[in-house]
Structure formats: C-alpha cells, structure tokens
Amino acid sequence: MSRLVVVSNRVAVPDAKGAAGGLAVALREAFEAYPGLWFGWSGKVAAQPAAQPRLVDKGRVQYALMDLTSIDRQEYYSGFANRALWPTMHYRIGLADFSRADYAGYLRVNRTFASALARLLKPDDLIWVHDYHLIPLASELRSLGVTNRIGYFHHIPWPAPEVFATLPGSTQLLRAIMSYDLVGVHTERDADNLRRGLVQEIGAVQHKGDVLELGDRRALVKGFPIGIDLAGFQAAANRSSTHPLVRQTIAGLGSRNLIIGVDRLDYSKGIPERMESFERFLISNPDQRGRVTYLQIAPTSRSEVPEYAELSRAVNDTLGRINGSLGEPGWVPIHYVTSTYPRPVLAGLYRLAKVGLVTPIRDGMNLVAKEYVAAQNPADPGVLVLSKFAGAAQQLTDALIVNPNDKFEVAEAIQVALHMSLEERIHRWSRMMKTLKSQDVSWWASSYLNALKSRKVHGPARSKVKIAGTTH
Ligand code: GDG
C-alpha cells in the first residue's frame, strides 16, 4: 500500500491530550486511509541542526522533525515566506519586502529539506507538499532523482499574473511549480490566475483539462476548496452552552446582540477596516448603541515580523478611538482579545453570535466563515457577512456578500443581518449547510489525493528545473 508523505512548514505532532491544529484536523482522515509520514520543521531553532530529522512514531503516522538555525528561520520563514511571498500573494505589493539574502535562505532550506526527505522516501509514496514556504521542494526532489507523484496545495490566494510578476524570483518559482504533478488551490479564480501566470510568464502550454506543459513536465492546476470537520464542529457547538466561558459571555451580554469576528492578527484579515465598518454602523443606527456588542478574537501571530507589530498598533489605535468616542458607562462597543480560546469555546461563541463578520481583504478560503455557519442553532441561525475576496464566498453564496473596503456597505449588511426574518435566516443557512456537508474536509483530502493518484508517472529523473541562480 502506498504511503502518504505530507510535507509542511510546521509539523503538528499531537500532544499528550491528542489535540490537533488546523492542518492536522484536515489530514486526519487522509492518514486513516494511508499509513503516513509527516515531514517538516519542528518549530525549534538549533545552533547546528542535524542533517537528518528526528523521528517520532504516533499511531499510523511517523513524524520527521527538522530543526532550523536562527538565520534559516529569519531568512526562510520570517523573511522570504512571510515578508515577500505572503503580502504578494495577498495583493499587498506595497508591504512586500524582498531581500536577496532571504530568498537565498528560502531556497537553501528547501534544498536541505529535500535532501533529508529524499532518503526517507519509498518508490510508491504519494508526496503532498503544503503551502508557500515550500514551493521549490519538488524541483529540489526531482533534481535528486525522485520520480514519485508529488502534489502541492497552496492554502493562500494565487494572485493575478501581473501582481505575482512584481516579486523578484517569481519566474523561477513558476518554473518550480511545474515540477509538481498536481497543484491545488482553493478556488477556480486562483487556479485561473496561476494557469495564466504559467502561460504568460514562463511560456507553458495549456492543454485540455487544465494541464500545463513545459519541457518534459506536465502539471494539472485545479481548485479543491478546503472544507471543515462539519460533524465535529456541530457537536462541539451543541455541547458548548455548559462551558464556563460561554456562560459568562451569555451573562455579560444580557439582552444585547453579539457580533463576532475571529481571525489571526493579520493584515489580510481586514480587522481595523472591520472595526471602522462597525463604527459606521453605530453612527448610522444610533438606536443600536448599547444594544449590540462586537467581540473580536484575534490571536497574535508572526509578531517578529515588523508589519505585524505595526498592525497590532493600528488595531489598538482604532479600537481605542472607537470605544472612546462611542462607548458609554456600562457599554463598551468593541471587545477585543488577543488570546487563543479552546476550540469548544470558539464554537460556543459563534453560536451565540447573531452576526458572523468575516471580512478579509484577501483570503485563500477562510475557515472561520464555515465554522460560524456550522456552529449555528438550526432553529435560530445567525447571519454570515462575508467578504467577496475570501475564497469561501465562491461557495457560500447565501451569505451577505460585501466589499470589505466599503465601510458603508459592510455597515448596511450588519444592519440587514440584525433585522433579517427567521424564515430568511433559516433559508440561507440551510443552503450553506448543504455545501458544507457535501464538501467537508474529508471530501477535500480524498478528492485531492484521488486526483494526485490518477496523474501519470513520468519516467526516470528529469533534468533539474533551474530555480536557483540567486542562491548566494
Ligand atoms: C490559511 C489561509 C485558508 C482562530 N482563532 C482561534 C482559533 N482559530 C482558528 C479558526 C480557524 C483557523 O484558526 C483560521 O483559519 P482561516 O482559514 O480562517 O485562516 P488562516 O489561519 O489564515 O489559514 C486561509 C486556511 O489556511 C486553510 O487552507 O482557509 O485562507 O490564510 O480554524 O477557528 N482556534 C482556536 N482558538 C482561537 O482563538 N482554537
């Protein structure tokens, strides 16, 4: 039986309680179907990391953990991945900070990972690489003679070709993409952007069935919208009302309506813009003052990256200004917390909220939108207000779809959501639930892996696809 070999920037080894993070939840069922290996960064920094990973066996999965040097971490992770690729992929080219040293570090870590991984591979392993930290990995593996099927899943948006082309190194990365047999993105919009980029920027030829050809390589580029563990999330939401933190929130709210936002503290999520939309809603609807509370949960993320520290300051300024100018004794309009809540509490808070505000400026998919819908009480569901720039908007067309840059439009949607009839809320919610049911997380993993298995294997090792050139 083939093994599934997952490669991702961070490896999520289940802890003593068996708790699992986002990608681990997504891959749980895939690892039920295949025995597996999960390879990637341990999250640790060492002065002289070992060339081979530390192996940890847990059930059907073996975890292979690589340490990085602090320079690796700085250049590969905080630098090129999070200060150049992340903003560019999210259309924020003004925030992109390219450095040749960071790019060289990114390529170096990918090469180190490839040579450590190559030694662990068996001929019929299916290799599934995740996310923008590891775009060059397949190219490096091919150059070491690896001929296995290799798939890549890109969890964030793929921008229009003219945006991606602004990034130095972008054509090398597009060439590297061609070393994969299957490239998955969340939406057809992203797939189309990537296919156009491959044709326009590196001269790939597009064949029927969305297969791109360059030299002796053929890559299929296709949308596979990620889903959630619907049943698991619903069960957590059903049980949630007994949780002390949820009860405390219910007591604190009194008769006020709750609006909720949940996001990593990231500039792609549109948090200060959302706060200003809520401010606009309160100014336009003075009768709502004191009758509604907006809770924003925003766990801090990537705080070592300067743009994130700057965002944190901007959010605090906006929050202070709005609460200071519109708050009253006994009522704070926006409650803002940066700690991480346990998943069952999150499910309970979603369920309490009359409105889920999910208004990213750009997002590959956005799982919060799906979790909010899943957590609702079927007899009295809340309303999802969703940015047209989240991948989720392509599927959840029964949400109130908004342009997150238009504060008046978002404010109006909040007003409509709070006044929507029960009948319309149930109608919209039921239709969204159908999609969440038919395209849940196990559907996502199995449809991706079936497509990867169906790709033809292309003979012996190919010549190396050159991606370096700037490695020093
Ligand atoms: C990337 C792409 C794509 C948040 N706060 C808490 C908490 N969370 C959980 C949410 C959700 C997850 O984090 C966030 O997922 P998103 O999809 O919303 O966003 P990213 O982290 O940016 O993920 C995105 C995703 O990859 C998958 O492909 O959808 O577009 O950017 O599950 O619930 N979880 C807990 N406590 C919190 O306080 N337990």
Side-chain angles (χ1 to χ4, degrees):
M1 187 184 189
S2 311
R3 285 191 315 175
L4 171 62
V5 174
V6 168
V7 191
S8 61
N9 170 53
R10 284 294 296 273
V11 175
V13 185
D15 62 20
K17 293 184 219 138
L23 192 57
V25 171
L27 295 173
R28 196 162 42 201
E29 290 190 43
F31 279 130
E32 290 289 316
Y34 299 85
L37 174 75
W38 189 340
F39 179 100
W41 180 27
S42 62
K44 294 192 180 130
V45 163
Q48 286 182 321
Q52 281 306 296
R54 198 164 58 254
L55 299 174
V56 178
D57 288 303
K58 292 238 168 159
R60 287 167 68 84
V61 184
Q62 182 171 60
Y63 298 86
L65 303 159
M66 299 286 289
D67 296 341
L68 295 178
T69 64
S70 67
I71 295 276
D72 286 342
R73 183 197 147 100
Q74 173 58 38
E75 294 177 344
Y76 147 83
Y77 177 73
S78 304
F80 190 69
N82 284 330
R83 294 195 76 191
L85 278 175
W86 178 273
T88 306
M89 295 287 189
H90 287 86
Y91 289 75
R92 298 294 291 271
I93 53 182
L95 291 182
D97 187 38
F98 175 82
S99 123
R100 285 216 165 258
D102 288 349
Y103 185 44
Y106 175 80
L107 297 174
R108 182 179 66 244
V109 170
N110 271 272
R111 197 170 312 123
T112 306
F113 277 15
S115 65
L117 177 62
R119 286 184 231 175
L120 301 174
L121 292 175
K122 298 181 180 163
D124 61 348
D125 284 346
L126 271 182
I127 305 170
W128 192 4
V129 178
H130 287 265
D131 235 355
Y132 59 102
H133 315 87
L134 298 170
I135 293 172
L137 196 79
S139 163
E140 296 294 346
L141 288 170
R142 300 290 183 215
S143 76
L144 297 169
V146 173
T147 57
N148 299 50
R149 293 183 180 88
I150 313 180
Y152 170 72
F153 193 84
H154 188 72
H155 288 262
I156 63 176
W158 197 287
E162 44 284 14
V163 171
F164 191 54
T166 60
L167 180 69
S170 60
T171 51
Q172 290 96 326
L173 292 173
L174 287 170
R175 282 180 201 287
I177 279 281
M178 291 301 302
S179 287
Y180 290 97
D181 299 295
L182 175 64
V183 179
V185 288
H186 287 305
T187 65
E188 258 320 297
R189 177 168 61 195
D190 294 337
D192 182 57
N193 284 339
L194 175 52
R195 288 189 294 252
R196 285 191 298 125
L198 291 167
V199 170
Q200 290 171 21
E201 298 292 325
I202 60 167
V205 175
Q206 183 160 350
H207 294 283
K208 268 210 305 257
D210 299 325
V211 170
L212 282 291
E213 182 173 1
L214 186 74
D216 61 353
R217 293 291 325 158
R218 278 172 165 247
L220 169 60
V221 178
K222 197 170 172 313
F224 294 88
I226 196 168
I228 60 167
D229 168 16
L230 181 65
F233 213 83
Q234 273 182 302
N238 286 339
R239 287 192 305 264
S240 63
S241 60
T242 55
H243 200 289
L245 254 170
V246 177
R247 293 169 80 112
Q248 223 173 305
T249 311
I250 296 173
L253 275 172
S255 60
R256 283 183 193 121
N257 284 323
L258 179 66
I259 296 178
I260 196 166
V262 177
D263 315 75
R264 273 184 313 97
L265 187 54
D266 191 297
Y267 51 78
S268 65
K269 305 292 184 183
I271 297 169
E273 294 85 349
R274 189 182 308 161
M275 289 179 169
E276 287 179 348
S277 298
F278 181 65
E279 176 187 32
R280 170 49 44 200
F281 162 76
L282 292 174
I283 292 170
S284 306
N285 299 275
D287 62 309
Q288 290 293 315
R289 293 191 195 176
R291 296 174 66 182
V292 59
T293 296
Y294 162 28
L295 169 63
Q296 177 63 54
I297 298 176
T300 311
S301 109
R302 304 177 194 166
S303 45
E304 73 285 4
V305 176
E307 290 74 22
Y308 287 73
E310 175 50 38
L311 171 71
S312 177
R313 279 191 290 275
V315 169
N316 281 317
D317 287 354
T318 308
L319 174 79
R321 184 178 59 69
I322 298 172
N323 280 344
S325 64
L326 295 174
E328 291 160 10
W331 175 59
V332 178
I334 307 178
H335 288 240
Y336 173 62
V337 290
T338 57
S339 40
T340 303
Y341 283 80
R343 217 163 163 68
V345 173
L346 210 56
L349 295 176
Y350 285 140
R351 193 178 178 96
L352 280 185
K354 296 278 175 220
V355 182
L357 264 189
V358 182
T359 55
I361 306 299
R362 284 279 163 185
D363 221 327
M365 173 54 72
N366 195 299
L367 295 177
V368 169
K370 295 186 169 183
E371 292 165 357
Y372 174 76
V373 173
Q376 295 308 301
N377 174 0
D380 186 17
V383 179
L384 175 65
V385 174
L386 179 60
S387 162
K388 66 200 276 193
F389 301 118
Q394 308 282 308
Q395 290 177 292
L396 302 179
T397 51
D398 284 284
L400 294 179
I401 305 291
V402 293
N403 176 353
N405 302 302
D406 185 340
K407 297 179 181 83
F408 285 81
E409 189 178 317
V410 177
E412 169 73 15
I414 295 172
Q415 202 268 346
V416 169
L418 285 171
H419 293 92
M420 191 179 283
S421 69
L422 177 63
E423 192 189 1
E424 183 174 355
R425 282 186 280 128
I426 292 179
H427 178 70
R428 287 173 181 266
W429 175 80
S430 314
R431 288 166 55 110
M432 292 193 279
M433 282 297 281
K434 263 196 196 144
T435 308
L436 296 189
K437 226 173 253 169
S438 62
Q439 301 190 330
D440 71 356
V441 71
S442 53
W443 167 85
W444 171 75
S446 62
S447 54
Y448 184 92
L449 288 171
N450 288 338
L452 179 58
K453 265 201 303 198
S454 312
R455 302 289 299 140
K456 261 202 236 119
V457 179
H458 279 265
R462 288 149 285 259
S463 58
K464 179 171 180 180
V465 177
K466 200 121 181 64
I467 56 159
T470 50
T471 52
H472 29 134

